[in-house]
Amino acid sequence: MLVGHRTWVYENKPVIISTGTVGGPFEANGNIPNDFDILHDNMWLKQDSFEKSQQKMMEEACQVAVKNSSIQKEQVQFFIGGDLINQITPTSFTAKTLDIPYFGLFSACATSMESLALSAFLINGNGADYILSGSASHNAAVEKQFRYPTEYGGQKPPTAQWTVTGAGCALVAKEGKGPVITSATIGKVVDMGMSDPFNMGGAMAPAAVDTLETHLRERNVEPSYYDLIITGDLGHIGRHVSLDLLKKEGIPISEDQYVDCGLTIYREGQPVLAGGSGAACSSVVTYGHFLNQMKQGLINRILVIATGALHSTLSVQQKDPIPCIAHAVSIETGSDMS
Amino acid sequence: MLVGHRTWVYENKPVIISTGTVGGPFEANGNIPNDFDILHDNMWLKQDSFEKSQQKMMEEACQVAVKNSSIQKEQVQFFIGGDLINQITPTSFTAKTLDIPYFGLFSACATSMESLALSAFLINGNGADYILSGSASHNAAVEKQFRYPTEYGGQKPPTAQWTVTGAGCALVAKEGKGPVITSATIGKVVDMGMSDPFNMGGAMAPAAVDTLETHLRERNVEPSYYDLIITGDLGHIGRHVSLDLLKKEGIPISEDQYVDCGLTIYREGQPVLAGGSGAACSSVVTYGHFLNQMKQGLINRILVIATGALHSTLSVQQKDPIPCIAHAVSIETGSDMS
């Protein structure tokens, strides 16, 4: 099951039997509105704080995933997830509402694939029959915590990214219909000394390349094995940096094959600077858009490399560089996709 | 391997081949100084912030654990851990120093056993040969973040607890000499509506009881199966609340058999109010004190129930109750303890 030093191959092929994706008004106006199960027309969802609005979206994503399956919520053994808010309170409060045993995680925007890799491992090793795996973020809650309240109207450089408002959840099972999870490569913390919190894509690119290079070597496949290699939220800057690094390392990858969730979710003209980001970015785009493409037969094998910047406002104020990580999970067409 | 709904029995019996425990001056002056590998005589460890001091302790705990084993750091596949600081930066920076693939977790003070349960599952299922599993906290860093800087000298009610300055780490392996990890029960979020951040023990007690009751039922053992049932950081108040709840539920448990890490680490007379707490509390006391007792043949079977309060300063300010969780792991004498 462990191949190489940090890659798992799941011989029992856990299945994503259903998903739930929720977005806000900015996402509704974006590039892939039809790939969301629920879209909200305002940022509040009738809650009295943005953090509770994020919690509500995570609850909805989990509820939709269960509703879209043939099982009952009571059959789910574990909820595994996290988010960007201090002490991941929106995720913990979701675990309370769901009333499902809970593992809290933190890998910033790489949490989606940290969660999916662990969920698949637990299912593969008979640790559970059903697991809900997810991540969420909220633009206004994250801006308030990491930068300024959005009402302040703070200006940003063009390297900055736009935090996705949304939540994405996958219901992973031992057997059933749907795409299967075939392997995962766990990230190392990579830190190239970058300390600008307004250029996260650039900081995270080397982590994505390190995980991709390790994955290809340890799983012993060529990049062409995958129809798409999908990064989490590198944005324009990070994508270019990582393509340069891949070229330098002699890894043959075509530009068409190498896509980014942060560049998929919004359309041209939306003021998202270098692209989308946030813990929800890779989960909503993967579980919504790319799994839909897979169900439609347009693609058969994807590798999702979720990227995370593991800093805090305090670590940036204390002049620490931004430690980054990337976790990769491969998802492939199952024998029964109907 | 899954018995009941949320209990795992590890049939391959992962081994804790070595441990590392680090403490600060308050712990050096406490009840169990001989159970620490390293004790520091000040809170700074020559670092320029308390967060970096915490990071340094976590690095030391991991380094000591590797040094106390017969393996090299390069043989360790994963580092799994977390802490209480926003975005768990001290743990992520430790992962960078260690240069080991990393899973970041957050379950507040229950992180120690969340990490040990997952580490044992990954080892048991051939996902790794060696994993470093740990948690850390620092009194001054946590006080500054959750309450007031310690220099302010804020007064506290007698229900409050004292955050442990320290780090505890276990090196978990497929085979080797040492105590074995036999089972784990994963916690649910339990919230009885308590919202006083100065009475965490009282808030966490129902979560500990819920996990203990579930563990006994799903593993199908009596409390007397264990020499000790050890809670993480309930302190005086939480211990009494939980003993009352256990009595009410008709679970036969003797007071001598039911101990708390937060009441073990400090001696009578230290001004720790209701007892010790913090993410390091259960990890240093378990990996130091109780595993030493096991090696000396004084005890053979323990169940460690780490308890966590999953609130943030923001969730308390927003008048949310404190959601709590408890994860339990059983550790038993191995066939070869020399």
Side-chain angles (χ1 to χ4, degrees):
Chain A
M1 151 134 252
L2 179 75
V3 297
H5 193 71
R6 50 178 168 131
T7 297
W8 294 325
V9 171
Y10 303 111
E11 63 270 22
N12 298 329
K13 297 198 168 36
V15 189
I16 299 178
I17 57 169
S18 65
T19 58
T21 50
V22 181
F26 213 76
E27 292 65 35
N29 195 27
N31 192 38
I32 53 168
N34 296 333
D35 290 318
F36 286 88
D37 292 296
I38 299 175
L39 284 166
H40 291 282
D41 60 6
N42 75 67
M43 299 289 276
W44 289 98
L45 283 76
K46 299 182 182 160
Q47 305 301 306
D48 56 10
S49 76
F50 293 132
E51 292 78 18
K52 285 181 187 156
S53 167
Q54 180 183 313
Q55 173 191 337
K56 184 83 184 160
M57 289 191 295
M58 190 75 241
E59 290 170 4
E60 288 177 341
C62 291
Q63 284 154 358
V64 167
V66 171
K67 205 182 143 195
N68 286 345
S69 78
S70 58
I71 69 156
Q72 301 300 310
K73 195 200 75 177
E74 288 65 33
Q75 293 173 264
V76 180
Q77 269 94 13
F78 303 114
F79 169 51
I80 308 186
D83 63 77
L84 296 165
I85 300 300
N86 295 346
Q87 287 74 50
I88 63 167
T89 50
T91 306
S92 297
F93 281 104
T94 299
K96 171 186 151 187
T97 311
L98 293 174
D99 195 30
I100 296 172
Y102 164 55
F103 292 97
L105 305 183
F106 182 81
S107 283
C109 308
T111 301
S112 60
M113 292 302 123
E114 180 188 15
S115 170
L116 194 63
L118 283 172
S119 300
F121 195 99
L122 299 182
I123 295 281
N124 191 72
N126 294 315
D129 296 323
Y130 300 101
I131 295 178
L132 280 167
S133 168
S135 59
S137 51
H138 189 293
N139 185 282
V142 160
E143 286 298 314
K144 184 178 72 161
Q145 176 181 283
F146 281 101
R147 297 168 197 103
Y148 301 100
T150 47
E151 296 89 334
Y152 178 71
Q155 299 293 301
K156 290 181 180 186
T159 52
Q161 292 176 236
W162 181 274
T163 302
V164 168
T165 300
C169 179
L171 180 52
V172 186
K174 226 176 202 171
E175 37 201 42
K177 294 176 183 178
V180 295
I181 305 168
T182 49
S183 71
T185 297
I186 304 308
K188 258 188 186 183
V189 173
V190 175
D191 166 16
M192 305 302 280
M194 291 193 60
S195 57
D196 177 4
F198 288 110
N199 184 2
M200 234 84 96
M204 297 189 296
V209 169
D210 174 70
T211 296
L212 173 55
E213 184 271 326
T214 305
H215 177 83
L216 297 171
R217 180 165 38 76
E218 295 194 337
R219 199 184 172 190
N220 195 22
V221 292
E222 292 294 315
S224 59
Y225 177 82
Y226 293 107
D227 296 316
L228 291 176
I229 292 172
I230 302 161
T231 51
D233 51 358
L234 294 182
H236 286 297
I237 314 276
R239 180 168 185 271
H240 281 280
V241 172
S242 60
L243 278 169
D244 283 351
L245 288 170
L246 288 165
K247 207 171 167 186
K248 214 170 150 185
E249 293 206 18
I251 296 172
I253 194 161
S254 78
E255 291 216 18
D256 293 345
Q257 182 198 1
Y258 190 67
V259 299
D260 185 63
C261 296
L263 295 171
T264 304
I265 188 164
Y266 299 119
R267 59 175 172 68
E268 280 295 311
Q270 282 185 298
V272 297
L273 301 166
S277 67
C281 186
S282 51
S283 61
V284 297
V285 177
T286 300
Y287 301 146
H289 184 65
F290 289 115
L291 291 199
N292 282 349
Q293 288 204 332
M294 207 173 250
K295 280 172 204 160
Q296 290 158 24
L298 300 172
I299 50 176
N300 291 303
R301 291 169 178 166
I302 60 175
L303 179 70
V304 183
I305 309 170
T307 42
L310 305 174
H311 66 299
S312 69
T313 52
L314 187 70
S315 75
V316 169
Q317 285 157 1
Q318 290 180 351
K319 312 280 184 214
D320 279 315
I322 296 175
C324 295
I325 200 160
H327 299 300
V329 176
S330 64
I331 306 172
E332 309 188 24
T333 303
S335 54
D336 188 349
M337 292 286 289
S338 56
Chain B
M1 151 135 252
L2 179 76
V3 295
H5 193 71
R6 50 180 168 129
T7 296
W8 294 325
V9 171
Y10 302 111
E11 63 269 23
N12 299 328
K13 296 198 168 41
V15 189
I16 298 178
I17 57 169
S18 65
T19 57
T21 50
V22 181
F26 212 75
E27 291 65 34
N29 196 26
N31 192 38
I32 52 167
N34 296 333
D35 290 319
F36 286 88
D37 293 298
I38 299 174
L39 283 167
H40 291 282
D41 60 6
N42 73 66
M43 299 290 276
W44 289 98
L45 283 76
K46 297 181 184 163
Q47 306 300 306
D48 57 11
S49 76
F50 294 132
E51 293 77 19
K52 284 181 187 155
S53 166
Q54 181 182 315
Q55 174 191 336
K56 184 80 183 164
M57 290 191 294
M58 189 76 241
E59 291 170 4
E60 289 176 341
C62 291
Q63 284 153 359
V64 167
V66 171
K67 205 182 143 195
N68 286 346
S69 77
S70 58
I71 69 158
Q72 302 298 312
K73 195 201 74 177
E74 289 65 32
Q75 292 173 264
V76 180
Q77 269 96 9
F78 304 114
F79 169 51
I80 308 186
D83 64 77
L84 295 165
I85 300 300
N86 296 344
Q87 287 73 52
I88 62 168
T89 49
T91 306
S92 297
F93 281 104
T94 299
K96 170 185 153 186
T97 311
L98 293 175
D99 195 29
I100 295 173
Y102 164 55
F103 291 97
L105 305 184
F106 182 81
S107 283
C109 309
T111 300
S112 60
M113 292 302 123
E114 180 188 15
S115 169
L116 194 64
L118 283 172
S119 299
F121 195 100
L122 299 181
I123 295 281
N124 190 72
N126 294 315
D129 295 323
Y130 300 101
I131 295 179
L132 281 167
S133 169
S135 59
S137 52
H138 189 293
N139 186 284
V142 159
E143 287 298 315
K144 185 178 72 162
Q145 177 182 280
F146 281 99
R147 298 170 197 101
Y148 301 101
T150 47
E151 297 89 334
Y152 178 71
Q155 299 294 300
K156 290 182 180 185
T159 52
Q161 293 177 235
W162 181 275
T163 302
V164 168
T165 300
C169 178
L171 181 51
V172 187
K174 227 179 202 166
E175 39 201 40
K177 293 177 182 177
V180 296
I181 305 168
T182 49
S183 72
T185 298
I186 304 309
K188 260 189 185 182
V189 174
V190 175
D191 167 13
M192 305 301 280
M194 291 193 59
S195 57
D196 176 5
F198 287 110
N199 184 3
M200 233 85 96
M204 296 189 297
V209 170
D210 174 71
T211 296
L212 172 54
E213 185 272 326
T214 305
H215 177 81
L216 297 172
R217 182 166 35 80
E218 295 194 337
R219 199 185 172 189
N220 195 21
V221 292
E222 292 293 314
S224 59
Y225 179 82
Y226 294 108
D227 297 316
L228 292 176
I229 293 172
I230 302 161
T231 51
D233 51 358
L234 294 181
H236 286 296
I237 315 277
R239 180 167 184 272
H240 280 280
V241 172
S242 61
L243 277 168
D244 284 350
L245 288 170
L246 288 165
K247 207 172 167 187
K248 214 170 148 184
E249 294 207 17
I251 296 172
I253 194 161
S254 78
E255 290 216 20
D256 292 347
Q257 181 198 1
Y258 190 67
V259 299
D260 185 64
C261 296
L263 295 172
T264 305
I265 187 164
Y266 298 119
R267 58 174 172 71
E268 280 295 310
Q270 282 187 297
V272 298
L273 301 165
S277 68
C281 186
S282 53
S283 61
V284 296
V285 177
T286 300
Y287 301 147
H289 184 65
F290 289 115
L291 290 199
N292 282 348
Q293 288 204 331
M294 206 173 253
K295 280 173 204 159
Q296 291 159 24
L298 301 173
I299 49 176
N300 290 304
R301 291 168 177 167
I302 60 175
L303 180 70
V304 183
I305 309 169
T307 41
L310 305 174
H311 66 299
S312 70
T313 52
L314 187 70
S315 73
V316 170
Q317 286 157 0
Q318 290 179 352
K319 314 279 185 213
D320 279 316
I322 297 175
C324 296
I325 200 161
H327 299 300
V329 177
S330 65
I331 306 173
E332 308 186 25
T333 303
S335 54
D336 189 349
M337 292 285 291
S338 57

